[in-house]
Amino acid sequence: MKKTLLTLSAALVAGAGMANTPRVFAGEGTPDFNQSMRTESKSLMEMVNKAGMAQPKLAKAPARVSAADPIIYEAPAGETVNYLRSVYGFYLYWWYILFGSNEGASDIVFGDDGYAYIHNPFGGWATNSYLKCEVKGDKLVATLPQAIYEEDSNAYDEETDEYYPVHTDYYATLLYQEIGEDGTVNYVMADTDEVQTISWTMDGDKITMDMEYDTTPDEEGYLSYPEVMFGMVSSEGVWTIAGDCAQEYNKVEVNPVVAPEGLETSEWAFVHDGAGSFVNVGFDGDDVYINNLDSSFPESYIKGKVDGDKVVFESGQYMGVYAGQHYIYFIGATFDESSYYMADNITLNYDAANKVMTAPEGTAMILNAALDRIYYLSVFTEPVIKVRNENPNPVPGAPIPSSFADYFEDYGYSYIQFSLPNLNADDDILSTDNMYYEVYIDGDLFTFYDDEYNIEEEMEQIPYSFSDGDGIYANGTAHTVSFYFSGYETVGLKLYNVVDGETYASPMTVWNVLDNSYYIDNNVGIQSVASGKGVAGVEYYNLQGMKLDRPAPGINVCRTTMEDGSVKVTKVLVK
């Protein structure tokens, strides 16, 4: 499957204040190397609940916050300038609140109405809106508070055991440090009715926030928490997300690949990492254009050059902006068991007669959020791009488990994570519209009951892309199923494909939860992902070589020992 990780989100959820002294390590907010920046789409309230953070009671609670003007979702007509913005501020790493430096995309519209509009004004959260500023000489000046974000979510009522809708408005404002008697740090609005402003100074292609903050770490390598910052509060005046104490905007030129007018394209299969999708491929002489490498950029192209039996795609091609915060570039790369390494290009072997482009072993295509280090949105290892097979073998490949979590009393469930391939044995892409899977516990077909899962009636066959919002989860080829009991030894997984009224079954994959190993039962179905070899055992290690009980979030090294004694080492990336 396409390799993604749930790691860094340059976002902030600060509900309960921060413990200990007001210092944090002066590390980079953006990971330095071989890290993913893709995140799942979650609401602020979901993050607050997940982090277990209660909303603090402010020592000096102001009146309900409001603003005269509504949220600006579209800036007036004017000149749009793109910037790479570097900030010092707060963000969320997993569910931990961290403070440090971060960088991302931003644009400023210099409107024909004489005002400037900063898009996504915080480094720690994409509001998808604009902050309105007056242009005064070399200054941009914003009057605060300004309505900047809104969200509809659900809250839980313990008395009725039901969820009810909640609408929350958020405002951009200035926030001041407050340290509690127990040493926790929080940020509050000033207890004043005076109008407040924040400004930025323009100097050529650079714009800098006018806020005094010393970015020099102390002798132990720690930064100080800011005494004042530009942040966001709820309508109740509670600091809930985002806060920057330093911002610097540097103008950048973004030049997406533009396909020639009238370019004719056809649909090819893009196969990588045990999964596949369809891309559009077009030729203009020796130039090759491919678009829809990633669903986040369905209109963006990369350009390659045919050179005999090779096609070369240069690194650094601009793809677009992801989640309103990051410029994304196409990068060719190499990799080994522990790391990815940036390259000037990726050169694919090209069979023009059969219309197949094949990446050499140990190479990858990466959609990356930087040009000087690996910080990826998506990684496609050893991809194959080939003309679409209109009549593929309908038998799907076997499910592949990735991790298992045993029953934990405090949570009340166990779970298994696995991949359902959308490929057959020939690496042809199959439609998942008519696929479903079954789960077997100790050899018996498992029934999902409506009183345990968020479903209307009991189910044994689970549609490929079905999620119930609780114990059954699907995200592309990645799937998770929870069980609200313990005491079982094996979990079986079987995938089905229904074509023209005929049902085709994959082999059965059996996961032994006692030793975290699995095998493919070739007597059930016809295609083994282990090339006919039985799996004797599976071990997982981190990149430092330490053995793991189960795969951890991030890059894992998987060592699979076959029954014939052979060993296969692969990388497993877990969200």
Side-chain angles (χ1 to χ4, degrees):
M1 62 181 175
K2 180 173 60 183
K3 296 184 176 181
T4 60
L5 289 172
L6 174 61
T7 56
L8 176 72
S9 172
L12 172 67
V13 179
M18 292 154 288
N20 303 320
T21 57
R23 302 191 307 174
V24 290
F25 184 66
E28 291 292 324
T30 301
D32 289 328
F33 197 70
N34 282 289
Q35 295 292 329
S36 166
M37 44 74 62
R38 182 185 287 274
T39 63
E40 294 182 19
S41 177
K42 293 184 179 295
S43 71
L44 168 57
M45 289 299 103
E46 284 180 302
M47 288 186 172
V48 171
N49 293 334
K50 179 72 173 182
M53 299 175 182
Q55 297 251 332
K57 294 182 179 179
L58 300 181
K60 299 178 180 179
R64 186 177 179 87
V65 185
S66 62
D69 298 320
I71 298 173
I72 303 172
Y73 288 110
E74 292 187 15
E79 179 189 6
T80 299
V81 182
N82 297 102
Y83 293 92
L84 181 65
R85 178 178 57 200
S86 301
V87 307
Y88 279 83
F90 291 94
Y91 60 89
L92 188 73
Y93 185 84
W94 291 86
W95 306 113
Y96 296 96
I97 302 170
L98 298 182
F99 177 84
S101 62
N102 196 7
E103 68 177 27
S106 184
D107 58 73
I108 299 178
V109 178
F110 293 89
D112 296 340
D113 60 358
Y115 289 87
Y117 299 83
I118 302 176
H119 192 223
N120 290 330
F122 306 110
W125 187 259
T127 62
N128 297 316
S129 62
Y130 292 86
L131 184 80
K132 182 178 181 180
C133 303
E134 293 182 81
V135 180
K136 297 182 176 181
D138 65 348
K139 299 286 186 179
L140 303 180
V141 182
T143 300
L144 304 174
Q146 285 191 34
I148 202 70
Y149 187 65
E150 61 182 341
E151 180 178 77
D152 291 305
S153 58
N154 292 315
Y156 177 67
D157 188 329
E158 293 184 356
E159 294 184 1
T160 63
D161 191 28
E162 293 180 349
Y163 287 90
Y164 59 93
V166 175
H167 179 86
T168 307
D169 294 309
Y170 298 91
Y171 299 85
T173 190
L174 292 178
L175 293 167
Y176 298 85
Q177 184 186 116
E178 180 181 79
I179 301 178
E181 294 181 358
D182 58 355
T184 59
V185 178
N186 194 20
Y187 285 89
V188 301
M189 295 180 65
D191 187 13
T192 177
D193 293 330
E194 294 181 3
V195 174
Q196 295 190 317
T197 61
I198 186 170
S199 65
W200 290 260
T201 297
M202 297 182 289
D203 181 10
D205 291 337
K206 182 171 70 174
I207 300 176
T208 305
M209 177 188 284
D210 298 327
M211 186 171 287
E212 294 184 3
Y213 175 73
D214 186 358
T215 61
T216 305
D218 64 16
E219 294 180 354
E220 298 179 6
Y222 287 91
L223 295 168
S224 297
Y225 281 161
E227 294 183 5
V228 60
M229 66 181 184
F230 172 56
M232 189 167 74
V233 297
S234 71
S235 56
E236 300 299 327
V238 178
W239 174 47
T240 54
I241 188 170
D244 295 340
C245 55
Q247 292 185 347
E248 182 178 288
Y249 295 75
N250 286 281
K251 183 178 178 180
V252 296
E253 297 293 337
V254 293
N255 298 301
V257 173
V258 179
E261 185 176 353
L263 179 72
E264 294 185 3
T265 63
S266 58
E267 203 167 50
W268 290 34
F270 181 47
V271 179
H272 51 84
D273 308 293
S277 59
F278 291 112
V279 296
N280 299 309
V281 179
F283 291 83
D284 181 36
D286 289 336
D287 293 332
V288 183
Y289 294 86
I290 301 177
N291 89 311
N292 199 33
L293 282 180
D294 186 282
S295 59
S296 298
F297 305 99
E299 304 300 325
S300 297
Y301 282 87
I302 61 169
K303 179 182 177 181
K305 177 74 72 174
V306 177
D307 183 11
D309 62 352
K310 308 290 184 183
V311 180
V312 181
F313 293 91
E314 299 291 341
S315 295
Q317 299 184 54
Y318 176 71
M319 300 293 293
V321 177
Y322 175 70
Q325 289 186 298
H326 299 280
Y327 296 119
I328 301 297
Y329 303 90
F330 171 84
I331 299 293
T334 60
F335 68 91
D336 55 26
E337 291 80 2
S338 60
S339 299
Y340 298 112
Y341 307 95
M342 300 183 73
D344 293 335
N345 61 63
I346 182 170
T347 300
L348 307 185
N349 299 314
Y350 180 42
D351 181 349
N354 294 305
K355 297 183 177 179
V356 179
M357 304 178 198
T358 306
E361 184 176 351
T363 62
M365 291 179 167
I366 296 181
L367 299 190
N368 203 55
L371 290 171
D372 59 350
R373 64 189 182 281
I374 299 293
Y375 182 36
Y376 63 83
L377 174 70
S378 302
V379 175
F380 311 106
T381 60
E382 298 173 0
V384 174
I385 306 172
K386 60 183 182 178
V387 70
R388 179 175 187 169
N389 186 348
E390 298 294 344
N391 296 293
N393 184 333
V395 178
I400 302 299
S402 59
S403 65
F404 172 77
D406 205 353
Y407 186 88
F408 186 49
E409 192 69 39
D410 288 353
Y411 293 152
Y413 62 88
S414 58
Y415 66 83
I416 184 171
Q417 295 180 320
F418 54 95
S419 173
L420 294 180
N422 64 342
L423 304 174
N424 62 15
D426 302 316
D427 282 343
D428 293 321
I429 298 174
L430 303 177
S431 172
T432 60
D433 292 345
N434 295 313
M435 284 190 186
Y436 65 89
Y437 65 95
E438 293 176 339
V439 177
Y440 293 79
I441 301 295
D442 290 336
D444 295 326
L445 180 61
F446 181 69
T447 301
F448 294 82
Y449 291 105
D450 53 1
D451 60 346
E452 293 182 312
Y453 297 88
N454 186 25
I455 53 181
E456 294 182 359
E457 57 184 17
E458 66 182 50
M459 304 170 63
E460 293 180 338
Q461 288 78 39
I462 307 300
Y464 186 96
S465 300
F466 176 80
S467 294
D468 73 341
D470 189 11
I472 306 170
Y473 175 74
N475 181 19
T477 59
H479 297 257
T480 302
V481 171
S482 298
F483 306 109
Y484 302 99
F485 56 89
S486 61
Y488 52 91
E489 297 182 2
T490 65
V491 178
L493 300 165
K494 192 174 179 183
L495 181 60
Y496 297 86
N497 185 25
V498 181
V499 179
D500 296 330
E502 296 290 331
T503 301
Y504 301 87
S506 76
M508 174 83 78
T509 301
V510 181
W511 177 274
N512 187 323
V513 303
L514 301 181
D515 61 8
N516 280 333
S517 66
Y518 73 90
Y519 65 91
I520 308 299
D521 187 347
N522 292 301
N523 295 318
V524 185
I526 64 171
Q527 171 62 27
S528 169
V529 296
S531 301
K533 300 177 182 179
V535 178
V538 179
E539 297 175 327
Y540 293 97
Y541 298 83
N542 62 21
L543 298 183
Q544 289 71 45
M546 299 175 60
K547 189 174 181 181
L548 306 173
D549 292 333
R550 59 181 61 89
I555 303 175
N556 301 264
V557 178
C558 176
R559 187 177 188 273
T560 303
T561 303
M562 316 307 293
E563 289 180 346
D564 65 359
S566 62
V567 175
K568 181 179 181 181
V569 178
T570 57
K571 287 195 299 181
V572 176
L573 284 85
V574 179
K575 291 200 301 180

